[in-house]
């Protein structure tokens, strides 16, 4: 049984694993493996070299072109374009490892064990990380157990909350964030969409970002936009998204926290506990990943307190309990600090509410 990790645990593993140990990440396509690795190591000053092994036709694409050394009379290999020419360590990201041809995988053996490629050693401190797809829907190459044994193996299963936090930090359109908050299974879980043929596209995290790039800044979507969305995430997911926009668009965290609460309350009146729980999720994601000015923080604190008071006044105890439970967890440390430091009245009310439940 594989060890399953989410985004937070992956970052800890990358931080704690010695450079001499290789890491292999298993997971579906489009879940952000390469983006997380590149961001993490780039921020630490490493050059990240991504090699797509499934696209290499023979070992020469990896080890370089052979030539004759006139001085020694021996055949040597010209170093490939990516190979470091100084002693600066690199992060070598071997993507699509189990899509590579067997002859390419043989070359990887020495690289994974000895940090050497055609006799040339990687600089000390270099890291080797591979990524493989797992699932019956992929055309894959069986990996030699000897090669597999040279990696620490983790199944990367990032949570929906991981993606929502990332999406909010990186400017993904709020309509998509609201939709995924209300329909988490449709983010990248193909089993959430039934009765598809083999040619029907299914959504993943990468495709929802592409949808955001299409609709961002467009208040009203034209028919051409709707067709484009269908081509990105598939017809079924696109229809559900568009129906959500037409019929069920929830109040966003930004509207609730930075808008006029009287106007927000009009929408809140129409919601039941499931919709309010979705809003709670969105609020904590927004607080966790959004930096605001002092004036904005004051308005957010005021509206957040109004919101909890509204739930209390309407006796929406399940929604209140959900809100308080998120506060008591560890997923949103920045949001907790904001509530404790900027919303003292709200903090007191939540503390009292939790005590009454117990």
């Amino acid at each position: 049984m594989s060890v399953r990790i989410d985004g937070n645990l992956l970052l800890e593993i990358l931080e704690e694993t010695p450079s001499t140990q290789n890491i292999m990440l298993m997971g579906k396509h489009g879940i952000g493996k390469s983006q997380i690795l590149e961001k993490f190591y780039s921020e630490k000053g490493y050059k990240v070299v991504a090699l797509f092994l499934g696209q290499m036709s023979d070992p020469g694409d990896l080890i370089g072109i052979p030539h004759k050394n006139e001085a020694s009379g021996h055949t040597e290999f010209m170093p490939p374009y990516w190979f470091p020419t100084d002693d600066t360590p690199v992060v070598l990201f071997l993507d699509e490892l189990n899509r590579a041809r067997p002859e390419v995988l043989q070359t990887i053996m020495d690289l994974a064990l000895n940090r050497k490629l055609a006799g040339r050693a990687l600089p000390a401190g270099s890291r080797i990380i591979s990524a493989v797809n797992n699932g019956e829907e992929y055309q894959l190459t069986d990996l030699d157990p000897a090669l597999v044994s040279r990696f620490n193996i983790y199944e990367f299963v990032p949570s929906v909350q991981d993606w929502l936090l990332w999406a909010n930090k990186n400017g993904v359109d709020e309509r998509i964030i609201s939709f995924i908050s209300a329909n988490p299974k449709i983010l990248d879980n193909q089993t959430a969409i039934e009765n598809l043929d083999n040619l029907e596209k299914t959504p993943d995290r990468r495709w929802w970002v592409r949808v955001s790039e299409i609709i961002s800044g467009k208040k009203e979507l034209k028919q051409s936009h709707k067709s484009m969305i269908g081509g990105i995430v598939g017809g079924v997911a696109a229809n559900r998204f568009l129906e959500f926009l037409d019929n069920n668009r929830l109040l966003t965290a930004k509207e609730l926290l930075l808008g006029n609460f009287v106007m927000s309350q009009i929408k809140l009146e129409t919601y039941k506990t499931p919709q309010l729980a979705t809003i709670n999720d969105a609020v904590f994601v927004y607080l966790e990943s959004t930096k605001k000015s002092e004036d904005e923080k004051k308005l957010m604190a005021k509206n957040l307190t109004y919101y909890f008071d509204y739930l209390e006044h309407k006796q929406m105890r399940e929604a209140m309990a959900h809100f308080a439970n998120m506060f008591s967890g560890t997923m949103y440390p920045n949001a907790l600090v904001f509530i404790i430091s900027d919303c003292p009245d709200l903090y007191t009310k939540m503390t009292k509410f939790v005590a009454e439940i117990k």
Side-chain angles (χ1 to χ4, degrees), residues 107-124:
T107 304
I108 298 297
M109 294 280 282
D110 190 37
L111 184 63
L113 180 61
N114 300 313
R115 303 303 176 91
K116 289 184 178 181
L117 192 64
R120 289 183 297 272
L122 290 174

Side-chain angles (χ1 to χ4, degrees), residues 172-180 215-221 241 244-245 249 252:
V172 172
D173 191 275
E174 287 188 356
R175 288 167 289 186
I176 294 175
I177 294 176
S178 295
F179 174 65
I180 298 301
I215 69 173
S216 182
K218 301 176 177 67
K219 186 174 181 180
E220 301 294 334
L221 300 184
F241 174 59
F244 175 83
L245 296 186
R249 193 187 78 81
T252 68

